[in-house]
Amino acid sequence: MNSDLMIETKGLTKSFGKLVAVNGLNLNVRRGNIHGFVGPNGAGKTTTMKMLIGAIRSTGGEGYINGHPVGSLEARKSLGFSPERPSFYVDMTTWDYLVYMGRLAGMKTDAAQKRARELIDWLELTKFRDSKVGGFSAGMKQRLSLAQAMTHQPQLLILDEPTANLDPDGRMSLTEKLRQLCQEQRITIFVSSHQLLELEQLVDAVTLIEKGRTVAEDSVRDLKQELTLNRYVLKVSKREVVVKALQGQTCVQDMTVDADGAIHLISSDFAALQSKVIEAVTRAGAEMEYFGKEQANLQDVYRQTMGRDQ
């Protein structure tokens, strides 16, 4: 076990009869980080989360939460979980529900009430303090679910699509609150989401999963750098003339033109490529709008990673 890791799995596997939902999954989530968990529907994300929180048992491999085996009492005490579709006792008010969850977590009544007040204020639920949960919108239920996950002040939050049912203002507000939790309280956050552009602004690192296996895991920065290594973009007038001049140059390993007319180049020798580009543009009498490294986001990483041979 690595003491720097809040979540660590080695070959974690879960089979349902002949169906292998999670197949030898390796996860490495560093303490105090916000870590994304990304993959297509059916990739095994929900099954993995259920194993991590102790809701189901693995059929192979091993996993640890805060140094304790997944499913153990010590591991479960370390984490809070908010599912994508939370369910509640609909006749309870926000206040009653959070106090009740605190009592279930072993807190004395005074402590549970104090914690409920803190969470209601923090998540801006004050005006809904005495409202029954059954009348809440999906977005409100999502916020209350996050509050209950934090009731016992866990060291790890496991969140499944936490912003899925929120409006744009709610999404931005929640994202900022999660950043604050990580920065100010050093809480580790493991979050699954399909909102890749939003997730990219939140997480330090990400694991991409497909068919129950890890296909990539690293910081978002390093994954993007790997994707764009030796890749450049050129935007010019007289594009056809410039493309013709660059064809066959030894410093150009590959060249494509996208639907917007941008020229994408692959070269392991930037100095030589730069020289040839300037020469081609000058001779063509073209105007150069842009020439520089290819830019990428988490969506690009996802598209390039999913489906490649494992």
Side-chain angles (χ1 to χ4, degrees), residues 121-178:
D121 289 344
W122 187 70
L123 283 168
E124 300 169 7
L125 293 168
T126 304
K127 66 180 181 180
F128 303 101
R129 178 187 187 277
D130 298 316
S131 300
K132 289 188 176 182
V133 179
F136 282 5
S137 67
M140 285 295 298
K141 289 179 179 178
Q142 204 74 51
R143 288 161 68 183
L144 183 57
S145 177
L146 176 60
Q148 67 80 23
M150 295 175 55
T151 299
H152 60 297
Q153 297 181 299
Q155 298 175 60
L156 167 67
L157 279 177
I158 296 179
L159 310 178
D160 192 1
E161 299 287 349
T163 64
N165 298 307
L166 301 180
D167 61 27
D169 286 341
R171 298 162 85 98
M172 289 187 287
S173 174
L174 181 58
T175 297
E176 184 56 36
K177 290 182 184 302
L178 293 177

Side-chain angles (χ1 to χ4, degrees), residues 11-15 50-52 56-63 70:
L12 193 66
T13 299
K14 179 62 181 179
S15 298
K50 286 182 177 179
M51 286 189 284
L52 293 177
I56 60 175
R57 292 184 179 181
S58 65
T59 51
E62 54 188 315
V70 293

Side-chain angles (χ1 to χ4, degrees), residues 30 49 63 94 109 140 176 234 239 254 266:
R30 299 184 67 84
M49 287 185 162
T94 297
T109 300
M140 285 295 298
E176 184 56 36
L234 173 63
R239 182 181 62 252
D254 190 39
I266 298 178

